[in-house]
Amino acid sequence: MQPHCTRAEFDAVVELLARAFVDDPFWRWLCRPEDFQVRLRRGMAAQLRHLALPGRVDHIPGVGAALWSPPGQWRLGLWQQLRFLPDFAAITGLTRLPGRLGGIQHIQQLHPKRPHWYLQVLGVAPDQQGRGHARRLLAPVLALCDRDRHGAFLETCEPDNLPLYRRFGFEVIREDRVTADGPPIWLMWRPPPL
């Protein structure tokens, strides 16, 4: 397990995450359907480059990855948003861009105000699922949460993920929709230890 991603590993992590999220309702909503696979890979590369690499990437080569933002670092500043915009427009398509940006902004407003680690993405390759890899990918940061008494937060649009995250102490704190025409989304919180 590695808590970083080198330049040489970047493309492999992107490909792995694109395989893991090929049927994900959020990414299906976000990406323009034409050339979906290309847009999904670009989305994962942009997420990794602009959001995760300033934070923490735990990955098991060929198996899976967890992309985290440490407390206080999940929100992008104006300069970071501007750097992300060309990728975001390519992912969504220009005509869908305003609605997709509005959906992202809506979800960001629902983040807990307390300091927390933010799990941006947890992806395990389809042929590796059900083998305990999620535990291996989540354990290092959840141990930091416990040590430093921080909460952990995530969103998922996949209802099948809810039992998995509950096993690690996350509970649903809100159910919403990304947008009126978007998928349902569950916001989950793992409280800090008492």
Side-chain angles (χ1 to χ4, degrees), residues 14-15 18-19 22 27-28 31-46 87 90-92:
V14 166
E15 286 300 319
R19 285 193 352 247
V22 71
W27 286 95
R28 287 282 173 181
C31 295
R32 187 172 162 200
E34 296 84 11
D35 298 319
F36 173 76
Q37 292 283 357
V38 171
R39 293 175 196 279
L40 177 61
R41 281 193 296 280
R42 184 160 182 177
M44 289 300 173
D87 285 317
I91 295 162
T92 65

Side-chain angles (χ1 to χ4, degrees), residues 26-173:
F26 176 80
W27 286 95
R28 287 282 173 181
W29 167 82
L30 184 66
C31 295
R32 187 172 162 200
E34 296 84 11
D35 298 319
F36 173 76
Q37 292 283 357
V38 171
R39 293 175 196 279
L40 177 61
R41 281 193 296 280
R42 184 160 182 177
M44 289 300 173
Q47 176 125 9
L48 191 56
R49 185 180 312 107
H50 298 294
L51 302 173
L53 288 180
R56 181 179 172 123
V57 177
D58 286 294
H59 68 102
I60 304 167
V63 173
L67 313 183
W68 293 91
S69 291
Q73 295 183 24
W74 65 269
R75 187 182 300 274
L76 293 180
L78 179 59
W79 175 244
Q80 293 166 307
Q81 290 177 41
L82 291 173
R83 289 181 59 211
F84 198 123
L85 194 57
D87 285 317
F88 200 77
I91 295 162
T92 65
L94 288 177
T95 59
R96 298 169 44 167
L97 181 63
R100 298 313 186 249
L101 283 172
I104 299 294
Q105 184 178 24
H106 168 69
I107 297 306
Q108 287 181 343
Q109 291 171 349
L110 301 176
H111 261 257
K113 304 299 182 229
R114 298 173 60 180
H116 61 276
W117 279 84
Y118 172 43
L119 179 60
Q120 301 170 25
V121 171
L122 171 65
V124 175
D127 63 334
Q128 295 292 321
Q129 293 176 3
R131 299 181 184 183
H133 297 305
R135 177 175 302 284
R136 291 176 57 206
L137 290 164
L138 292 173
V141 171
L142 295 182
L144 291 175
C145 289
D146 292 346
R147 183 194 74 192
D148 299 335
R149 299 181 185 266
H150 282 122
F153 176 73
L154 64 88
E155 308 108 354
T156 184
C157 291
E158 180 56 68
D160 293 343
N161 289 343
L162 299 176
L164 168 76
Y165 290 124
R166 283 188 175 116
R167 286 198 299 268
F168 297 102
F170 288 89
E171 288 300 327
V172 174
I173 56 172

Side-chain angles (χ1 to χ4, degrees), residues 170-185:
F170 288 89
E171 288 300 327
V172 174
I173 56 172
R174 181 173 177 149
E175 182 178 348
D176 208 312
R177 285 193 105 48
V178 177
T179 59
D181 68 336
I185 189 164

